[in-house]
Amino acid sequence: MEAHGHSAPEWLAQVGLDPLIEKSPERPVPLPIAFQLFRLLATIEGPGASSRIVTPHSLDDLGIFGKLILTGQTPREALMRAVRFLPCYSTHELLVLRSIPGGLRVQAGWSLVLDDEMMHLSQQFTAALVVGLCLATNHASAAPKVIRIRPHPQAGVAHLRPLFGDALTASDQAVLSIDLNDTILDAPLHLDASSRLDVPPKNWTLPHKEASFSHSVSLTLSALNAEVPIRVEQVAGVAGMSVRSFQRMLAMDGSSFRLLADEIRRARTIETLMDDRRSGRLVAEDLGFSGQSALSRAVRRWTGLSPKHLRDGASSSNTLPSA
């Protein structure tokens, strides 16, 4: 994106995401908003944009999940680790490895109903990651045998052929399917990953860690842009629910949208004040407060301290005040 003159934070803000999420790969992103970002990319850069954003560093950029994959010494090992750890990383993405004569078939899809354009955009992104993994072997014949991808409703698949070559073919299936031969699967990987992980760290925050609706809503709220007031209608839409059903589900958990939004805003505000030494006015603007006085009132309500005293206390103790 940046190579084509685009500002990643601005594009993230356009779809309602916190622009700072670019630097925080462990923060969950609601899938409907991620799909909106793919559509925005395609609108500006063409139907092949979501494959072109993949770079040799893309797996490493996936944070802990990517580092767990990159611990594999071969594409086969890396793919097996991706299957193992994907449920800890994504709630609705599916990845399956099936044995075929002389190799493996990689199949990827979603437990969601997607239109043809969205299937095309998401499948080409995954395909580019798999192809990049194969190319990292530096093998003379690193290309997959076959890549079956859902065609774009207008552009088809021809626009992807410069990237995927003759292995590319159109498919009417809802899953991406890639056939890899054993020679590539068992070739050594040559990757310059910043770090590798054999097992996840104990403090890794998993999307399934707490099986409650209110926890899922909290994860969604934490990913949204703080500079724009977050409306209940917006979050209910991300959940695919009416506002009434959304609020009823939260009530069943003993919670409410207002309570969760306040908790997320409190945590984000205190964290920002502790880490950001800019003036209170600038911090208030970035966090969506109407002014510095509104920020001060909120911080006093949450902590009993002024923003200045909160910062002074954080500098001396490095602890986050409790609610």
Side-chain angles (χ1 to χ4, degrees):
M1 292 169 62
E2 293 176 347
H4 285 75
H6 303 301
S7 166
E10 288 181 8
W11 284 42
L12 293 170
Q14 282 191 53
V15 296
L17 288 173
D18 179 1
L20 296 178
I21 207 168
E22 177 195 12
K23 307 297 183 183
S24 306
E26 305 311 322
R27 289 174 62 183
V29 175
L31 283 173
I33 297 181
F35 292 152
Q36 287 179 35
L37 182 59
F38 273 179
R39 289 191 198 276
L40 178 62
L41 283 167
T43 299
I44 304 300
E45 290 290 331
S50 54
S51 58
R52 296 200 305 274
I53 63 174
V54 174
T55 73
H57 303 288
S58 289
L59 281 174
D60 204 22
D61 291 341
L62 295 179
I64 290 173
F65 178 58
K67 291 172 176 35
L68 289 165
I69 294 173
L70 293 173
T71 301
Q73 300 299 304
T74 65
R76 188 190 303 274
E77 291 181 8
L79 289 167
M80 290 175 67
R81 293 179 66 82
V83 171
R84 175 184 175 189
F85 293 111
L86 182 62
C88 302
Y89 179 76
S90 178
T91 55
H92 291 78
E93 191 169 4
L94 308 173
L95 184 65
V96 177
L97 303 180
R98 302 187 186 280
S99 295
I100 59 174
L104 283 178
R105 177 165 296 162
V106 182
Q107 293 183 306
W110 300 93
S111 59
L112 299 168
V113 177
L114 303 179
D115 60 36
D116 287 345
E117 180 189 25
M118 197 64 254
M119 277 193 279
H120 180 76
L121 298 176
S122 62
Q123 287 180 11
Q124 65 175 270
F125 176 77
T126 304
L129 288 174
V130 174
V131 170
L133 194 64
C134 295
L135 292 175
T137 63
N138 295 331
H139 197 279
S141 56
K145 293 193 291 185
V146 183
I147 303 175
R148 305 173 187 86
I149 193 169
R150 191 67 166 257
H152 189 275
Q154 285 80 46
V157 298
H159 66 102
L160 296 176
R161 206 165 297 283
L163 176 63
F164 296 129
D166 294 335
L168 182 68
T169 184
S171 169
D172 61 359
Q173 299 300 305
V175 297
L176 168 72
S177 181
I178 303 176
D179 290 357
L180 302 173
N181 63 49
D182 287 331
T183 303
I184 298 303
L185 287 164
D186 296 321
L189 285 170
H190 302 280
L191 291 168
D192 182 23
S194 62
S195 61
R196 293 176 169 83
L197 291 172
D198 187 48
V199 296
K202 292 182 179 179
N203 62 347
W204 194 23
T205 301
L206 309 180
H208 304 301
K209 186 175 182 180
E210 181 182 327
S212 71
F213 184 72
S214 58
H215 177 68
S216 297
V217 173
S218 292
L219 292 177
T220 299
L221 288 169
S222 69
L224 299 181
N225 188 356
E227 297 181 31
V228 180
I230 300 172
R231 298 175 294 107
V232 63
E233 294 84 1
Q234 175 188 4
V235 184
V238 169
M241 306 170 70
S242 68
V243 171
R244 184 175 180 181
S245 296
F246 178 79
Q247 292 174 325
R248 187 186 302 118
M249 290 287 289
L250 285 176
M252 291 173 64
D253 274 357
S255 188
S256 69
F257 176 77
R258 182 175 180 178
L259 177 62
L260 294 177
D262 193 58
E263 290 176 351
I264 293 298
R265 198 176 202 195
R266 170 193 173 276
R268 183 177 283 169
T269 299
I270 292 175
E271 181 181 3
T272 301
L273 285 170
M274 292 173 69
D275 295 339
D276 192 332
R277 309 312 294 182
R278 292 179 302 161
S279 69
R281 179 182 62 81
L282 293 176
V283 171
E285 290 178 359
D286 282 355
L287 292 172
F289 287 94
S290 58
Q292 186 171 349
S293 60
L295 170 66
S296 296
R297 287 195 299 271
V299 172
R300 285 186 182 277
R301 174 167 60 86
W302 289 323
T303 68
L305 301 171
S306 69
K308 181 181 184 304
H309 288 153
L310 178 69
R311 280 174 160 171
D312 292 343
S315 297
S316 59
S317 66
N318 293 319
T319 58
L320 185 69
S322 59

